[in-house]
Amino acid sequence: MSRRQTSIEANGEYPSSSLLSAGRDRTFETSTDELDLAIETNDIKKSFGDTRAVDGVDLRIPRGTVYGLLGPNGAGKTTTIRILTTLLRPDAGTATILGHDVVQDAAEVRAKVSLTGQYASVDEDLTGRENLVLVGRLLGFSWRDAKKRADELLTAFGLEDAAARQVRTYSGGMRRRLDIAASLVVTPAVLFLDEPTTGLDPRSRNQVWAIIRAIAAEGTTVLLTTQYLDEADRLADRLAVIDNGRVIAEGTSRELKATVGASTLHIRLQDPEHREEAETVLQNHLDVAVHDGPDRDALSASIPHDQEVAAVLTALADADIRVAEFSLGQASLDEVFLALTDRPAEDTTEEMSA
């Protein structure tokens, strides 16, 4: 097997497939006769006191895909991941990872999965290399193999120049990349990423995205929760929207967007003081919910038929409401999220606590 090492540059270059799969040399391969589903849940439920965190979640996630879990704060995303990674026992229902029950076969599940939580789990007092060597040793590598694997991953993730520095000196993006690298010392069959890019700058986010794409291309199933809908839009093959502990929508990004409407009309008003009047006009003519835009002078609404745009603009003009600009396009995932949950996709971080 080739060991060519490729760093992740700012342009989003992927690590080499041979390097990411190198950890498979030791163990944790899955047999070809296993089910095509990497993750399957049936009516799983979990309560904390009087709070029902997960209320009957059903998931069917094929192997080798990137699957996104979206939902507002407290929707049950992180609790679901904790159940799937054997950190919590469900109160009811069943969940399997590659055919192994998360309760009855917990040891087998743990041998096949890796979890990167919302917060970096690396030791700040150790260097980047020492962190990866430590993980390797805990996983049964010899000192020589642990050092070799650590150097491979440090190079792949563009951290070789900082390998001898304490992690406390790393930037947020560097810590995140090291955290994911630690999850790949042995390449898992299923990788769980909980809010993998929260708080990162755009350049670091692009680098993490490149890592996720490379991991999935190598055959690892990736389940991620994210507060960035553009992240889910770009990375996930399929998405599930969770609210109040239940899956309320599931499908590809295109399928979810189609549920909002064929097209979305975006309007920017010349005078924000006419916002309420404009909203009333749109509601009367389209009979749909009107959503706020990023600014006080912006509105958006679903358009069942494109030909209705002219009638809406005429109605606004008749009401002496001047439009500075308008555009017609497919609904964004943000608008889907708002339509489904009645809440914006802001502040969707969720504590990884029981």
Side-chain angles (χ1 to χ4, degrees):
M1 179 181 292
S2 169
R3 299 281 186 174
R4 181 173 64 86
Q5 299 172 343
T6 305
S7 63
I8 301 172
E9 305 296 344
N11 61 8
E13 183 182 350
Y14 298 176
S16 65
S17 296
S18 61
L19 193 146
L20 286 178
S21 62
R24 295 189 194 274
D25 292 348
R26 298 188 56 83
T27 184
F28 303 171
E29 281 283 15
T30 56
S31 62
T32 56
D33 60 351
E34 286 180 335
L35 296 175
D36 287 335
L37 289 178
I39 300 171
E40 183 175 13
T41 70
N42 293 286
D43 199 30
I44 57 172
K45 299 178 181 179
K46 183 66 181 179
S47 296
F48 300 108
D50 295 331
T51 301
R52 179 64 63 87
V54 177
D55 191 16
V57 168
D58 294 317
L59 297 173
R60 306 286 185 274
I61 303 176
R63 293 173 59 181
T65 60
V66 179
Y67 196 92
L69 286 184
L70 304 177
N73 185 37
K77 306 184 302 297
T78 293
T79 301
T80 299
I81 284 184
R82 288 174 64 85
I83 290 172
L84 293 176
T85 54
T86 75
L87 297 176
L88 287 174
R89 292 173 64 101
D91 297 331
T94 61
T96 59
I97 305 294
L98 297 170
H100 298 287
D101 187 275
V102 298
V103 175
Q104 302 300 325
D105 307 320
E108 288 85 351
V109 170
R110 290 170 189 157
K112 294 181 181 295
V113 308
S114 187
L115 167 64
T116 298
Q118 294 178 11
Y119 307 103
S121 59
V122 292
D123 191 323
E124 292 189 344
D125 292 326
L126 299 180
T127 67
R129 178 178 289 107
E130 288 170 342
N131 268 282
L132 296 182
V133 169
L134 174 61
V135 173
R137 291 290 290 155
L138 290 172
L139 291 172
F141 283 67
S142 67
W143 277 106
R144 180 179 178 180
D145 288 345
K147 291 176 181 177
K148 181 180 180 181
R149 184 59 175 159
D151 287 340
E152 289 174 343
L153 290 168
L154 288 165
T155 299
F157 290 177
L159 295 170
E160 65 271 33
D161 291 340
R165 285 166 42 194
Q166 284 185 306
V167 172
R168 67 172 65 255
T169 68
Y170 284 17
S171 68
M174 293 169 66
R175 291 188 189 199
R176 200 37 145 178
R177 278 145 53 201
L178 182 65
D179 207 24
I180 296 177
S183 299
L184 299 174
V185 170
V186 172
T187 306
V190 181
L191 176 63
F192 294 90
L193 298 174
D194 196 22
E195 309 278 357
T197 62
T198 298
L200 298 187
D201 59 81
R203 180 176 182 273
S204 296
R205 287 179 66 197
N206 284 332
Q207 291 174 333
V208 172
W209 290 355
I211 294 169
I212 295 172
R213 292 189 184 102
I215 294 168
E218 189 59 26
T220 292
T221 304
V222 179
L223 175 62
L224 74 135
T225 70
T226 177
Q227 63 175 307
Y228 302 117
L229 298 187
D230 62 326
E231 181 167 89
D233 214 353
R234 295 190 188 190
L235 294 177
D237 300 301
R238 295 186 70 83
L239 305 164
V241 180
I242 296 182
D243 195 25
N244 295 319
R246 291 180 173 272
V247 175
I248 60 174
E250 198 275 349
T252 65
S253 175
R254 183 179 295 275
E255 289 169 347
L256 292 179
K257 291 174 182 177
T259 65
V260 174
S263 301
T264 298
L265 176 64
H266 300 273
I267 291 177
R268 186 172 297 278
L269 305 173
Q270 284 191 358
D271 186 353
E273 297 300 324
H274 290 157
R275 181 190 186 90
E276 291 187 6
E277 298 172 62
E279 185 173 343
T280 299
V281 171
L282 291 174
Q283 288 175 336
N284 289 341
H285 279 76
L286 300 176
D287 193 27
V288 296
V290 178
H291 304 303
D292 295 338
D295 305 309
R296 288 188 62 245
D297 58 357
L299 295 169
S300 65
S302 298
I303 296 285
H305 305 289
D306 293 354
Q307 56 266 35
E308 295 183 29
V309 174
V312 170
L313 295 176
T314 299
L316 289 170
D318 291 343
D320 200 24
I321 301 172
R322 296 186 178 183
V323 175
E325 60 182 62
F326 72 92
S327 62
L328 185 65
Q330 188 182 37
S332 68
L333 208 53
D334 297 78
E335 290 161 339
V336 173
F337 193 94
L338 180 59
L340 291 172
T341 67
D342 290 327
R343 280 170 279 182
E346 299 174 355
D347 189 26
T348 60
T349 54
E350 184 176 330
E351 294 284 341
M352 282 203 65
S353 60

